[in-house]
Amino acid sequence: MKYYKNFPLRLLSSFRIGGNADILALPETPEEVQDVMEKISRERIPWVVVGRGTNVLFSDEGFRGMVISTIRMRGTRREDGRVKALSGTSLSSLISENLRTGFGGIEELVGIPGTVGGAVWMNAGSFGVETGRFVKRVRGILDGEWREERPEFEYRKALLPSGFLIVEVEFEFHPRERKEMEEVLRECVKRRKRTQPLGEKSAGCVFRNPPGESAGKLIEDVGLKGFCMGDACVSAVHANFIVNRGNARAKDVLELVKLIKERVYEKKGILLEEEIRVIPEKVQA
Ligand SMILES: Cc1cc2nc3c(=O)[nH]c(=O)nc-3n(C[C@H](O)[C@H](O)[C@H](O)COP(=O)(O)OP(=O)(O)OC[C@H]3O[C@@H](n4cnc5c(N)ncnc54)[C@H](O)[C@@H]3O)c2cc1C
């Protein structure tokens, strides 16, 4: 089991932002996750779990305690369309495996850069398809105990108890023609390339879309497309993305978030809500 001291969290974040974590744990198996959780509970260590860090903003001060990342815990077991995936498996490898085996459903999620655990926790979605629709069961650890849940899902959210660490997800996919899947994959990749700042450092969409509205359109309408605070800029390609143009700090991103919320509220009467997860320096043990 690998622990790293004073680990620079920017290396674990697609924003490339964040100070050092006291400890980073990279479990490779469910048993190792259990060992980590036992250590945490024995030593009363504050903790947080992440996958690939593609939807989080770490603090400039880092994290006092242990950050657990599941990225080394990968693998799937398949029985036709029933797939059990360890939570660190990348969504993209799951999609590729589905294509090979002829079972589909989540092709529209191609290009979402996270893990299975992150996609379930966030109920990641795109082009009208959401992860939660295919989830039958999740297995994980809550308060030191193994638990199985059949969660309900809302827009960008799994209704799982806070503190639940997802270890394995059981999906159910359906047979789909390979040609049809390839066509969907091609089309979605094309649309993503056209509409998102893919080569840049970001954490995807910063705000949830308010009912019936597009957060990106609202931000554009209030004239903030391209606006920067330090190196943190509202993307000129998609205004719901904030991109790190070099050495942006979490502080810059948070100030920009605050300004966007104020401006959209003032001019449109709509209070935007963050979709990205802001991880503070300190949490309760
Ligand atoms: C270029 C780009 C494009 C994107 N496009 C989309 C998109 O189209 N649609 C979309 O929905 N999102 C999109 N995202 C956001 C992000 O990729 C997704 O939310 C993804 O599912 C997050 O996965 P992750 O492994 O990186 O999770 P992280 O960012 O590491 O974590 C996200 C949240 O999930 C929790 N979490 C992660 N793993 C676990 C676990 N094992 N157990 C319990 N909780 C866990 C974390 O605590 C955190 O609260 C995009 C991001 C980028 C950078």
Side-chain angles (χ1 to χ4, degrees), residues 67-91:
V67 174
I68 303 163
S69 166
T70 60
I71 44 171
R72 295 248 172 100
M73 189 172 63
R74 297 179 293 246
T76 59
R77 288 176 290 153
R78 297 189 156 248
E79 226 173 85
D80 298 327
R82 286 257 170 181
V83 181
K84 289 183 178 168
L86 289 173
S87 57
T89 308
S90 72
L91 203 55

Side-chain angles (χ1 to χ4, degrees), residues 54-193:
T54 63
N55 207 39
V56 297
L57 177 64
F58 291 116
S59 159
D60 295 318
E61 279 70 44
F63 187 78
R64 304 287 69 79
M66 191 185 299
V67 174
I68 303 163
S69 166
T70 60
I71 44 171
R72 295 248 172 100
M73 189 172 63
R74 297 179 293 246
T76 59
R77 288 176 290 153
R78 297 189 156 248
E79 226 173 85
D80 298 327
R82 286 257 170 181
V83 181
K84 289 183 178 168
L86 289 173
S87 57
T89 308
S90 72
L91 203 55
S92 63
S93 68
L94 186 61
I95 294 171
S96 307
E97 222 183 78
N98 278 359
L99 184 67
R100 274 203 308 278
T101 52
F103 286 89
I106 53 168
E107 294 70 55
E108 281 80 355
L109 308 185
V110 66
I112 298 182
T115 61
V116 160
V120 170
W121 189 264
M122 297 304 301
N123 191 17
S126 57
F127 307 121
V129 172
E130 287 182 333
T131 308
R133 201 203 292 173
F134 302 90
V135 174
K136 288 292 140 206
R137 209 173 294 154
V138 302
R139 200 163 78 89
I141 299 179
L142 178 69
D143 297 330
E145 304 283 335
W146 282 98
R147 287 259 296 258
E148 269 199 7
E149 297 272 341
R150 291 171 178 270
E152 301 282 317
F153 290 90
E154 289 179 355
Y155 170 61
R156 296 293 174 272
K157 189 174 169 186
L159 302 182
L160 282 165
S162 107
F164 188 95
L165 193 156
I166 302 169
V167 173
E168 189 177 65
V169 180
E170 187 176 333
F171 292 96
E172 187 168 18
F173 301 115
H174 301 287
R176 199 171 184 190
E177 287 292 323
R178 190 184 170 108
K179 250 179 127 178
E180 201 185 316
M181 288 199 262
E182 282 173 342
E183 184 52 38
V184 174
L185 290 172
R186 240 192 322 270
E187 191 49 38
C188 292
V189 169
K190 214 157 73 189
R191 277 175 72 180
R192 229 173 237 283
K193 280 191 181 152

